[in-house]
Amino acid sequence: MTFTQTPDTAPPGAGDRRRWFALAIVMTAAFMDLVDVTIVNIAVPSIQREEGASFSQIQWITAGYALAFAAGLITGGRLGDIHGRKRVFLVGIGGFTLASALCGLAVNPEMLVASRVLQGAMAALMVPQVLSIVHATFPAHERGKVFGLFGAIVGLGAVSGPLLGALLTEGDLFGLGWRPIFLINLPVGIAGLLLGHRFITESKAPRALRLDLVGVALVTAGLLMLVYPLTRGRELGWPLWGYVSMGGALAVFAALVAYERRKAARDGSPLIELSLFKVKSFAAGIAVQTVFGIGLGVFFLVWTLYMQVGLGWSALRAGLTGVPFSLAVSTAAGMSVQKLVPRFGRKVLQAGALVMAAGVLLYLWEAGRYGLSITSWQMAAPLVVMGAGMGLIVAPLTDAVLSEVPREHAGAASGLINTVQQMGNALGLALVSVVFFGVIDDHAGPARIGPEYVDAFQHALGWVAAVMGVIFLLMTALPKRPAQHVEGATEPVGETAEEKAGDEAGVEAGERELVSAPSAGPSDR
């Protein structure tokens, strides 16, 4: 799950009780997004078996969502600024619910892939508005409590997603097989749509903005030209057009950079704020997020295939096996933000990369030693180590990346961080065809399927461990201690006296607007 924050004004209406209803609504939407990703991973083998989906279609069921999500995140945030955050949030959650219904009713793998792409696009409209609502609705002294609740939701989603997916898949409710993993979103989405309409108050950016359609087209085209050949290449025998497409993607991204520079100079409303990359820690953080997304994209898909196809485990057993990992992530994430990062700063994130790499290598060793006879209990130790390392990274990373970014660009920076992480995830899912399926002999008999998958899993884990090493090196460019954790730091980085005065004026204006609003609901910003 990811969030985009684009703060324009300080939060009004701190005393309004109804803001807690708005919080519950947006947290539910965020929970839906997170669970939808994890719940699908555990059901992938069942979808492959029941629908006869090819390996590339299986990759697109996951990568299509991530790609559409990545391509639309910045656009979704900008649409909220232009047309109203409440309106775009409701369109997003309504579209997400409809796409979930289409996924659950898909009659073939092609329809399922298309519905998943639509689902990712709708999530890109819904998710960027979430923290915008929180930022406006709660004063600074309450946001720690709110973000703590968000952390709990993330942990709950990480634990419940695989388990819920396993229970729904194994339960075969009404003979529907894997379909309830999508249909379960319908009552939740409808409730969120109705309650959001009632409790969330509309808001827009104070300065008129324009949607950069050319930038949107270039970002989407570049991503598709890069990811599609990686996903289909192995199945098609790595044709020449695939290499041409990937090379052309680099040219498209170069054209995007040139266009965004001209767009910024012409009207000040580019899709991507390129000036952010002049901040060393931000540029390094973007690289960390991208590479980290690649590693996670590779691991989670091959892990599921290894357990359910290679080892022949049920979805429920695979889901239960992942519980120690999820609990370790949640526990370490809470400790890193509350206790470790304020004291040790960047070293906590670097330690997380090394700990996660150690867990991956331990898992690689155990997979080779125990082979097809490995048990869930034997997997628990490497999964706990990996989860602890991941928890040390995921929670404080965004703060570390944003700590030297000027306040006025915090929204654009958050959007870029979330986007590149999703891009990395989509790229990692596409690379599964190379680092995992590329090792498997397509002509192996039934007796060789298990050993082939074990070997491929070990090969993929070697790549994931290497990714963690790269992340450790990239983290050396992050600030030693995020600015908000430096003793005595009381003002946001880059905030001038004029900006502070403007924020105070924004509080007063927001309070006046809230009092005069007929519905007296919380503001989106």
Side-chain angles (χ1 to χ4, degrees):
M1 176 186 66
T2 54
F3 301 107
T4 301
Q5 183 178 359
T6 51
D8 296 321
T9 63
D16 185 3
R17 288 184 177 182
R18 292 162 63 96
R19 70 191 190 279
W20 294 102
F21 288 100
L23 176 65
I25 294 162
V26 298
M27 288 177 73
T28 300
F31 182 77
M32 283 174 62
D33 168 59
L34 177 66
V35 169
D36 196 73
V37 174
T38 56
I39 204 174
V40 170
N41 279 339
I42 206 71
V44 157
S46 297
I47 296 172
Q48 183 181 20
R49 182 173 58 252
E50 294 177 22
E51 302 302 318
S54 66
F55 286 141
S56 66
Q57 287 171 332
I58 288 299
Q59 286 176 271
W60 272 107
I61 290 171
T62 50
Y65 181 96
L67 184 61
F69 193 22
L73 269 172
I74 297 177
T75 305
R78 181 56 56 90
L79 286 173
D81 293 338
I82 298 171
H83 299 292
R85 288 112 190 182
K86 173 184 176 179
R87 178 182 300 175
V88 175
F89 176 81
L90 294 179
V91 170
I93 195 170
F96 189 89
T97 304
L98 174 62
S100 297
L102 292 175
C103 288
L105 299 174
V107 296
N108 53 48
E110 290 80 10
M111 181 177 174
L112 180 56
V113 170
S115 300
R116 282 286 286 169
V117 171
L118 175 62
Q119 198 179 34
M122 292 300 101
L125 294 179
M126 175 178 70
V127 171
Q129 321 307 325
V130 171
L131 283 191
S132 300
I133 295 170
V134 172
H135 182 83
T137 308
F138 292 87
H141 70 274
E142 286 187 340
R143 286 182 202 147
K145 182 192 301 182
V146 173
F147 292 147
L149 290 173
F150 268 115
I153 287 295
V154 170
L156 180 62
V159 174
S160 62
L163 278 178
L164 185 59
L167 290 171
L168 292 174
T169 303
E170 289 286 304
D172 192 21
L173 299 178
F174 309 107
L176 294 174
W178 51 267
R179 298 175 188 275
I181 69 171
F182 296 111
L183 298 177
I184 195 173
N185 287 334
L186 270 60
V188 179
I190 292 171
L193 187 64
L194 296 175
L195 294 175
H197 180 76
R198 174 178 177 82
F199 290 106
I200 301 174
T201 300
E202 188 60 279
S203 71
K204 298 181 180 180
R207 180 173 64 88
L209 299 169
R210 295 180 180 179
L211 181 61
D212 180 6
L213 292 175
V214 175
V216 172
L218 289 173
V219 166
T220 305
L223 285 172
L224 283 172
M225 290 171 67
L226 181 62
V227 173
Y228 185 76
L230 285 172
T231 306
R232 294 296 309 280
R234 173 182 171 274
E235 189 176 21
L236 299 177
W238 298 107
L240 178 61
W241 65 260
Y243 295 101
V244 173
S245 177
M246 289 186 282
L250 300 179
V252 171
F253 288 134
L256 172 66
V257 171
Y259 175 80
E260 292 299 291
R261 283 176 177 165
R262 291 197 301 271
K263 178 75 171 173
R266 185 167 66 246
D267 60 18
S269 59
L271 182 69
I272 299 173
E273 185 61 56
L274 295 176
S275 64
L276 290 168
F277 290 92
K278 296 179 181 179
V279 180
K280 178 184 176 183
S281 60
F282 178 79
I286 286 291
V288 170
Q289 289 279 20
T290 304
V291 178
F292 193 50
I294 291 173
L296 296 183
V298 170
F299 174 74
F300 285 113
L301 181 55
V302 302
W303 184 34
T304 297
L305 294 171
Y306 160 68
M307 288 190 292
Q308 294 193 50
V309 180
L311 301 179
W313 291 1
S314 67
L316 182 58
R317 182 175 179 181
L320 290 171
T321 299
V323 170
F325 176 86
S326 299
L327 293 176
V329 171
S330 302
T331 303
M335 291 179 59
S336 66
V337 171
Q338 298 174 17
K339 298 181 179 180
L340 300 178
V341 171
R343 183 175 180 183
F344 300 107
R346 181 182 69 196
K347 294 179 181 179
V348 176
L349 284 86
Q350 291 181 291
L354 294 179
V355 170
M356 192 168 181
V360 171
L361 292 174
L362 179 58
Y363 207 163
L364 191 158
W365 175 78
E366 286 199 352
R369 179 181 178 184
Y370 297 110
L372 297 177
S373 62
I374 193 170
T375 66
S376 297
W377 291 110
Q378 289 165 336
M379 291 185 186
L383 287 174
V384 167
V385 176
M386 286 180 62
M390 183 173 170
L392 293 177
I393 297 173
V394 293
L397 181 56
T398 300
D399 275 350
V401 177
L402 291 177
S403 64
E404 294 180 351
V405 171
R407 176 184 174 87
E408 63 269 23
H409 293 315
S414 295
L416 279 172
I417 289 171
N418 293 328
T419 298
V420 299
Q421 185 176 20
Q422 292 302 318
M423 284 173 51
N425 188 253
L427 186 58
L429 289 166
L431 285 172
V432 168
S433 64
V434 179
V435 302
F436 184 77
F437 290 125
V439 181
I440 295 174
D441 182 1
D442 293 335
H443 305 291
R448 286 294 305 164
I449 292 296
E452 289 282 339
Y453 270 66
V454 171
D455 291 343
F457 181 62
Q458 290 179 273
H459 185 261
L461 286 186
W463 280 92
V464 175
V467 165
M468 291 301 116
V470 172
I471 289 173
F472 173 82
L473 296 176
L474 290 173
M475 283 178 175
T476 59
L478 295 177
K480 291 184 178 180
R481 193 175 298 272
Q484 54 266 57
H485 298 305
V486 175
E487 187 176 354
T490 57
E491 295 298 328
V493 175
E495 184 173 48
T496 63
E498 291 80 8
E499 287 168 342
K500 182 178 178 183
D503 287 344
E504 292 170 352
V507 174
E508 296 175 2
E511 288 173 347
R512 288 195 299 272
E513 182 184 26
L514 185 68
V515 170
S516 62
S519 63
S523 170
D524 284 40
R525 280 285 245 273

